[in-house]
Tab-separated table of all heavy atoms in Angstrom:
chain	number	residue	atom	x	y	z
R	143	VAL	N	45.156	74.969	11.145
R	143	VAL	CA	44.373	75.755	10.183
R	143	VAL	C	45.154	75.947	8.894
R	143	VAL	O	46.335	76.324	8.922
R	143	VAL	CB	43.970	77.106	10.801
R	143	VAL	CG1	43.243	77.976	9.754
R	143	VAL	CG2	43.108	76.930	12.015
R	144	ARG	N	44.483	75.698	7.764
R	144	ARG	CA	45.153	75.792	6.459
R	144	ARG	C	45.059	77.254	5.959
R	144	ARG	O	44.039	77.949	6.154
R	144	ARG	CB	44.519	74.890	5.413
R	144	ARG	CG	44.586	73.423	5.730
R	144	ARG	CD	45.983	72.878	5.706
R	144	ARG	NE	46.664	73.108	4.462
R	144	ARG	CZ	47.901	72.760	4.207
R	144	ARG	NH1	48.638	72.145	5.130
R	144	ARG	NH2	48.478	72.991	3.050
R	145	LEU	N	46.147	77.687	5.273
R	145	LEU	CA	46.150	79.008	4.637
R	145	LEU	C	46.350	78.783	3.126
R	145	LEU	O	47.253	78.075	2.700
R	145	LEU	CB	47.299	79.818	5.159
R	145	LEU	CG	47.484	81.214	4.567
R	145	LEU	CD1	46.291	82.113	4.873
R	145	LEU	CD2	48.795	81.877	5.031
R	146	TYR	N	45.448	79.425	2.322
R	146	TYR	CA	45.508	79.288	0.873
R	146	TYR	C	45.747	80.637	0.235
R	146	TYR	O	45.208	81.672	0.696
R	146	TYR	CB	44.184	78.733	0.360
R	146	TYR	CG	43.844	77.347	0.846
R	146	TYR	CD1	43.002	77.155	1.924
R	146	TYR	CD2	44.359	76.217	0.206
R	146	TYR	CE1	42.694	75.871	2.390
R	146	TYR	CE2	44.078	74.950	0.637
R	146	TYR	CZ	43.221	74.778	1.746
R	146	TYR	OH	42.934	73.512	2.196
R	147	GLY	N	46.547	80.630	-0.819
R	147	GLY	CA	46.620	81.808	-1.677
R	147	GLY	C	45.695	81.634	-2.856
R	147	GLY	O	45.705	80.544	-3.484
R	148	GLU	N	44.838	82.604	-3.156
R	148	GLU	CA	43.821	82.463	-4.230
R	148	GLU	C	43.731	83.732	-5.061
R	148	GLU	O	44.170	84.798	-4.656
R	148	GLU	CB	42.453	82.217	-3.580
R	148	GLU	CG	42.375	81.023	-2.615
R	148	GLU	CD	42.251	79.689	-3.316
R	148	GLU	OE1	42.068	79.641	-4.545
R	148	GLU	OE2	42.287	78.660	-2.602
R	149	THR	N	43.172	83.538	-6.226
R	149	THR	CA	42.761	84.667	-7.066
R	149	THR	C	41.239	84.755	-7.063
R	149	THR	O	40.555	83.776	-6.666
R	149	THR	CB	43.287	84.510	-8.513
R	149	THR	OG1	42.722	83.309	-9.071
R	149	THR	CG2	44.804	84.433	-8.551
R	150	PRO	N	40.640	85.859	-7.494
R	150	PRO	CA	39.160	85.994	-7.399
R	150	PRO	C	38.396	84.874	-8.098
R	150	PRO	O	37.304	84.483	-7.661
R	150	PRO	CB	38.941	87.357	-8.032
R	150	PRO	CG	40.156	88.109	-7.772
R	150	PRO	CD	41.263	87.116	-7.890
R	151	GLY	N	38.942	84.360	-9.214
R	151	GLY	CA	38.219	83.304	-9.921
R	151	GLY	C	38.080	82.015	-9.180
R	151	GLY	O	37.268	81.137	-9.565
R	152	SER	N	38.877	81.799	-8.104
R	152	SER	CA	38.799	80.567	-7.366
R	152	SER	C	37.508	80.391	-6.569
R	152	SER	O	37.060	79.277	-6.327
R	152	SER	CB	39.980	80.475	-6.379
R	152	SER	OG	41.224	80.480	-7.023
R	153	PHE	N	36.935	81.534	-6.143
R	153	PHE	CA	35.797	81.423	-5.218
R	153	PHE	C	34.570	80.753	-5.842
R	153	PHE	O	33.996	79.849	-5.239
R	153	PHE	CB	35.457	82.836	-4.679
R	153	PHE	CG	36.506	83.361	-3.751
R	153	PHE	CD1	37.565	84.079	-4.233
R	153	PHE	CD2	36.432	83.090	-2.383
R	153	PHE	CE1	38.534	84.552	-3.357
R	153	PHE	CE2	37.409	83.585	-1.519
R	153	PHE	CZ	38.453	84.314	-2.014
R	154	PRO	N	34.096	81.155	-7.040
R	154	PRO	CA	32.953	80.397	-7.626
R	154	PRO	C	33.360	78.986	-7.987
R	154	PRO	O	32.533	78.072	-7.897
R	154	PRO	CB	32.619	81.251	-8.859
R	154	PRO	CG	33.828	82.031	-9.168
R	154	PRO	CD	34.470	82.304	-7.850
R	155	ALA	N	34.625	78.761	-8.396
R	155	ALA	CA	35.056	77.432	-8.756
R	155	ALA	C	35.050	76.477	-7.579
R	155	ALA	O	34.766	75.282	-7.690
R	155	ALA	CB	36.438	77.484	-9.363
R	156	GLN	N	35.346	76.986	-6.376
R	156	GLN	CA	35.404	76.183	-5.160
R	156	GLN	C	34.034	76.091	-4.447
R	156	GLN	O	33.975	75.470	-3.367
R	156	GLN	CB	36.412	76.782	-4.166
R	156	GLN	CG	37.854	76.743	-4.663
R	156	GLN	CD	38.529	75.421	-4.360
R	156	GLN	OE1	37.921	74.348	-4.408
R	156	GLN	NE2	39.780	75.484	-3.994
R	157	ASN	N	33.034	76.693	-5.014
R	157	ASN	CA	31.721	76.741	-4.339
R	157	ASN	C	31.805	77.496	-3.033
R	157	ASN	O	31.117	77.161	-2.076
R	157	ASN	CB	31.173	75.315	-4.091
R	157	ASN	CG	30.186	74.905	-5.168
R	157	ASN	OD1	29.637	75.705	-5.878
R	157	ASN	ND2	29.961	73.597	-5.244
R	158	TRP	N	32.653	78.513	-2.956
R	158	TRP	CA	32.776	79.339	-1.779
R	158	TRP	C	31.884	80.571	-1.938
R	158	TRP	O	32.166	81.430	-2.780
R	158	TRP	CB	34.244	79.791	-1.579
R	158	TRP	CG	35.153	78.697	-1.121
R	158	TRP	CD1	34.811	77.510	-0.567
R	158	TRP	CD2	36.564	78.736	-1.185
R	158	TRP	NE1	35.887	76.766	-0.282
R	158	TRP	CE2	37.017	77.507	-0.652
R	158	TRP	CE3	37.517	79.637	-1.649
R	158	TRP	CZ2	38.384	77.150	-0.534
R	158	TRP	CZ3	38.872	79.322	-1.552
R	158	TRP	CH2	39.299	78.081	-1.018
R	159	ASN	N	30.805	80.601	-1.190
R	159	ASN	CA	29.861	81.703	-1.296
R	159	ASN	C	30.059	82.672	-0.116
R	159	ASN	O	30.406	82.255	0.981
R	159	ASN	CB	28.423	81.174	-1.273
R	159	ASN	CG	28.142	80.256	-2.442
R	159	ASN	OD1	28.530	80.577	-3.580
R	159	ASN	ND2	27.517	79.129	-2.181
R	160	LEU	N	29.841	83.958	-0.402
R	160	LEU	CA	30.094	84.991	0.602
R	160	LEU	C	28.944	85.070	1.607
R	160	LEU	O	27.798	85.100	1.231
R	160	LEU	CB	30.235	86.353	-0.102
R	160	LEU	CG	30.603	87.548	0.787
R	160	LEU	CD1	31.991	87.351	1.411
R	160	LEU	CD2	30.555	88.838	-0.037
R	161	ALA	N	29.292	85.087	2.874
R	161	ALA	CA	28.273	85.265	3.918
R	161	ALA	C	28.286	86.707	4.443
R	161	ALA	O	27.243	87.247	4.833
R	161	ALA	CB	28.551	84.306	5.048
R	162	GLU	N	29.467	87.330	4.502
R	162	GLU	CA	29.593	88.661	5.083
R	162	GLU	C	30.829	89.364	4.532
R	162	GLU	O	31.851	88.697	4.266
R	162	GLU	CB	29.703	88.507	6.606
R	162	GLU	CG	29.711	89.794	7.410
R	162	GLU	CD	29.851	89.569	8.892
R	162	GLU	OE1	30.008	88.395	9.298
R	162	GLU	OE2	29.859	90.573	9.628
R	163	GLY	N	30.744	90.681	4.315
R	163	GLY	CA	31.885	91.444	3.835
R	163	GLY	C	32.017	91.311	2.318
R	163	GLY	O	31.046	91.398	1.582
R	164	ARG	N	33.248	91.067	1.871
R	164	ARG	CA	33.504	90.942	0.419
R	164	ARG	C	34.533	89.881	0.174
R	164	ARG	O	35.248	89.412	1.090
R	164	ARG	CB	33.975	92.264	-0.161
R	164	ARG	CG	35.383	92.675	0.299
R	164	ARG	CD	35.867	93.897	-0.496
R	164	ARG	NE	37.208	94.405	-0.128
R	164	ARG	CZ	38.348	93.954	-0.620
R	164	ARG	NH1	38.324	92.929	-1.523
R	164	ARG	NH2	39.506	94.483	-0.223
R	165	LEU	N	34.669	89.433	-1.106
R	165	LEU	CA	35.695	88.490	-1.490
R	165	LEU	C	36.932	89.276	-1.960
R	165	LEU	O	36.965	90.509	-1.927
R	165	LEU	CB	35.171	87.607	-2.628
R	165	LEU	CG	33.901	86.773	-2.292
R	165	LEU	CD1	33.441	85.994	-3.525
R	165	LEU	CD2	34.186	85.815	-1.120
R	166	LEU	N	37.951	88.548	-2.415
R	166	LEU	CA	39.137	89.215	-2.933
R	166	LEU	C	38.885	89.784	-4.319
R	166	LEU	O	38.127	89.209	-5.112
R	166	LEU	CB	40.294	88.182	-2.997
R	166	LEU	CG	40.746	87.579	-1.691
R	166	LEU	CD1	41.886	86.635	-1.907
R	166	LEU	CD2	41.140	88.655	-0.656
R	167	PHE	N	39.498	90.924	-4.635
R	167	PHE	CA	39.404	91.553	-5.954
R	167	PHE	C	40.730	91.381	-6.693
R	167	PHE	O	41.760	91.034	-6.108
R	167	PHE	CB	39.101	93.052	-5.813
R	167	PHE	CG	37.716	93.340	-5.206
R	167	PHE	CD1	37.551	94.501	-4.475
R	167	PHE	CD2	36.680	92.465	-5.350
R	167	PHE	CE1	36.312	94.808	-3.928
R	167	PHE	CE2	35.441	92.751	-4.831
R	167	PHE	CZ	35.239	93.918	-4.082
Side-chain angles (χ1 to χ4, degrees):
V143 175
R144 298 293 305 179
L145 178 66
Y146 298 96
E148 306 279 353
T149 61
S152 298
F153 290 89
Q156 296 273 38
N157 263 340
W158 288 341
N159 298 315
L160 183 66
E162 186 182 1
R164 69 171 178 88
L165 301 176
L166 298 181
F167 295 151

